């Protein structure tokens, strides 16, 4: 065994290759099978073929498995809004961003659906998601202001965009064999236009 | 002293006349002067000229002072949406209701503004408000469905209405000498129409 092998072995014993993804998949499976409350960290680790100690190297607790990665995605959303082509109106910049994100979520496929179903089934998780979405809305409004949008246009565009996304995402989760997420986002934006346009 | 007087006296010693209103006003004053966290129930009761024991007859804790009464108002909103004239489209039913509510909030005047400023200054209170607003949105969507609206129109109308209300209310709180709340609600609905209409 060379010195490099030893270093490599030591590294691998602490940072299992793919451990994070395996833990996430195991957690989503268990939350789906027996519910979030009824699942323990020990069970998640066992399902992933890892130890609880390894679990805690990646996640603070079993709730974090559902929300880790979200901040990265939210950051991406906010940056994409800020950098959207100047020719786009604020609501177009938001739509452009949500459509770009749709491909990511579709690539996550079943995992994104499972996650949403787990969150919907638990009041505490729903509240946490709500708070995260409100902070995303505020950050999108900030990004729109950074592109020169004034208020209330910035806030209204962010609120409308997040509302459309929530509705489109719920429809997508509910119909695994239905339209793609991007198509649903476009359609829901159109429907919001019709709804608002019905004011006399 | 008649038997009636005795019963009346006994009743009054437990249920101070106007105690609830005095406690609310005292709490809002103290939260505004020294912050929500820094205020104790004993201080609120003292400011209102009452005892802590009396405080706890009306409110479970100091947070409840800010949210008591809200459920009644939310119930009123949901009923008004459900009973709005049939000729109104879903978004019109929501607008009609928010305009009716605006008069109530304007009648509460400074108290409504103070309450909002106290909530905005505290993360825990903001989260609680957010959760209440999300549940209001869901109830408005239910009320719209009871009037025959289909989804996603019901959800989108509720989401759009609550977003407009939040923006209009913030503007109203920020400008005590500006436009009335009803005028701001109408204006913000118009602006949302312009925002959505800017999609190509």
């Amino acid at each position: 065994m060379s010195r490099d092998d030893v270093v490599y072995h030591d590294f691998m014993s602490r940072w299992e290759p793919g451990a994070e993804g395996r833990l996430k998949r195991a957690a989503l499976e268990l939350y789906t099978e027996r519910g979030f409350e009824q699942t323990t960290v020990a069970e998640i680790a066992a399902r992933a073929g890892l130890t609880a100690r390894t679990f805690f190297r990646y996640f603070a607790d079993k709730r974090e498995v559902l929300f880790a990665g979200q901040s990265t995605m939210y950051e991406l959303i906010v940056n994409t809004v800020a950098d959207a082509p100047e020719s786009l109106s604020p609501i177009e910049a938001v739509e452009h961003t949500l459509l770009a994100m749709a491909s990511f979520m579709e690539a996550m496929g079943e995992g994104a659906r499972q996650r949403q179903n787990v969150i919907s089934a638990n009041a505490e998780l729903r509240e946490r998601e709500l708070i995260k979405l409100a902070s995303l809305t505020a950050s999108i409004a900030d990004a729109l202001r950074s592109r020169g949008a004034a208020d209330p246009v910035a806030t209204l565009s962010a609120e409308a965009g997040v509302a459309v996304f929530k509705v489109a995402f719920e429809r997508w989760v509910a119909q695994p064999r239905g339209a793609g997420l991007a198509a649903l986002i476009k359609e829901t934006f159109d429907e919001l236009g019709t709804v608002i346009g019905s004011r006399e």
Side-chain angles (χ1 to χ4, degrees), chain A:
Chain A
M1 217 174 184
S2 75
R3 203 189 120 73
D4 273 2
D5 284 339
V6 173
V7 169
Y8 180 72
H9 182 262
D10 186 54
F11 173 82
M12 293 302 289
S13 69
R14 282 186 292 134
W15 300 101
E16 298 273 350
E20 190 173 352
R22 277 155 66 197
L23 287 164
K24 271 192 190 178
R25 270 192 302 279
L28 277 177
E29 277 172 28
L30 288 165
Y31 298 163
T32 303
E33 285 166 29
R34 59 184 79 164
F36 174 76
E37 298 89 340
Q38 283 72 49
T39 303
T40 66
V41 165
E43 289 165 340
I44 297 168
R47 171 78 58 108
L50 298 164
T51 62
R53 236 185 109 192
T54 303
F55 177 95
F56 289 116
R57 279 192 200 112
Y58 293 94
F59 306 105
D61 53 41
K62 66 178 185 170
R63 200 177 69 165
E64 265 323 288
V65 185
L66 295 166
F67 293 97
Q70 206 189 33
S71 350
T72 322
M73 180 176 283
Y74 282 5
E75 228 174 280
L76 190 65
I77 292 173
V78 172
N79 293 341
T80 308
V81 170
D83 298 343
E86 274 186 47
S87 60
L88 300 182
S89 73
I91 195 75
E92 285 174 340
V94 174
E95 184 171 2
H96 161 89
T97 301
L98 295 178
L99 292 174
M101 200 180 55
S103 343
F104 275 97
M105 315 249 9
E106 292 190 304
M108 291 166 63
E110 200 42 36
R113 281 205 172 82
Q114 275 182 336
R115 175 183 180 277
Q116 201 55 41
N117 287 327
V118 170
I119 289 175
S120 299
N122 181 289
E124 187 207 325
L125 297 175
R126 282 201 306 274
E127 290 184 0
R128 166 107 199 213
E129 178 90 332
L130 207 57
I131 289 158
K132 289 236 169 188
L133 274 176
S135 116
L136 174 65
T137 309
S139 306
I140 292 176
D142 279 342
L144 290 171
R145 279 180 214 111
S146 80
R147 298 174 81 246
D151 262 319
V153 168
T155 308
L156 287 172
S157 303
E159 291 273 359
V162 171
V164 161
F165 181 74
K166 278 194 318 201
V167 169
F169 190 67
E170 263 173 40
R171 292 163 87 179
W172 181 71
V173 168
Q175 307 192 328
R177 265 161 265 291
L181 183 55
L184 286 170
I185 289 174
K186 265 184 195 294
E187 197 181 311
T188 309
F189 263 114
D190 288 345
E191 281 158 338
L192 179 61
T194 310
V195 160
I196 303 294
S198 81
R199 282 177 72 230
E200 293 240 320

